[in-house]
Amino acid sequence: MSGVTNLSNSEKVELIEQVKQQIAVANAQELLTKMTEKCFKKCISKPGVTLDSSEQKCISMCMDRYMDSWNLVSRTYSNRLQREQSKM
């Protein structure tokens, strides 16, 4: 860990930004994986070569609801973190 302490401030900022980007990518991958898994289970009863119109509609609505829910939870969590940090 001594290598991190030898970094300049700009290098530390750059490293932090790289870590934030990697976390954002990991979170997006996790979101996509969970959304795909849950919507597939909910909407596709008999997997086949193509999706029929009702499956397409179900998938679309499921993904929209999942994204809306995820965004709401993310905003609420972020707001709570900000409130907690302002109390410190």
Side-chain angles (χ1 to χ4, degrees):
M1 209 58 184
S2 64
V4 173
T5 58
N6 294 332
L7 295 176
S8 70
N9 283 340
S10 63
E11 290 172 326
K12 287 178 185 176
V13 168
E14 185 178 335
L15 180 61
I16 289 169
E17 287 305 311
Q18 288 175 358
V19 170
K20 285 181 180 179
Q21 288 176 1
Q22 290 173 352
I23 290 170
V25 168
N27 284 338
Q29 289 172 332
E30 172 89 11
L31 170 65
L32 185 57
T33 299
K34 291 288 185 186
M35 183 171 52
T36 301
E37 177 184 302
K38 292 194 180 297
C39 292
F40 184 87
K41 284 181 181 178
K42 177 180 176 21
C43 297
I44 312 299
S45 58
K46 296 178 184 174
V49 179
T50 61
L51 298 175
D52 65 29
S53 61
S54 64
E55 291 171 329
Q56 288 176 12
K57 185 175 181 180
C58 180
I59 293 271
S60 178
M61 291 177 65
C62 177
M63 291 176 75
D64 286 346
R65 283 192 308 269
Y66 198 94
M67 287 299 297
D68 288 344
S69 299
W70 187 83
N71 287 331
L72 176 64
V73 169
S74 295
R75 277 193 310 272
T76 303
Y77 181 69
S78 179
N79 290 338
R80 183 171 181 176
L81 284 178
Q82 288 175 353
R83 281 195 314 270
E84 294 296 323
Q85 287 176 349
S86 68
K87 290 179 183 179
M88 293 182 168

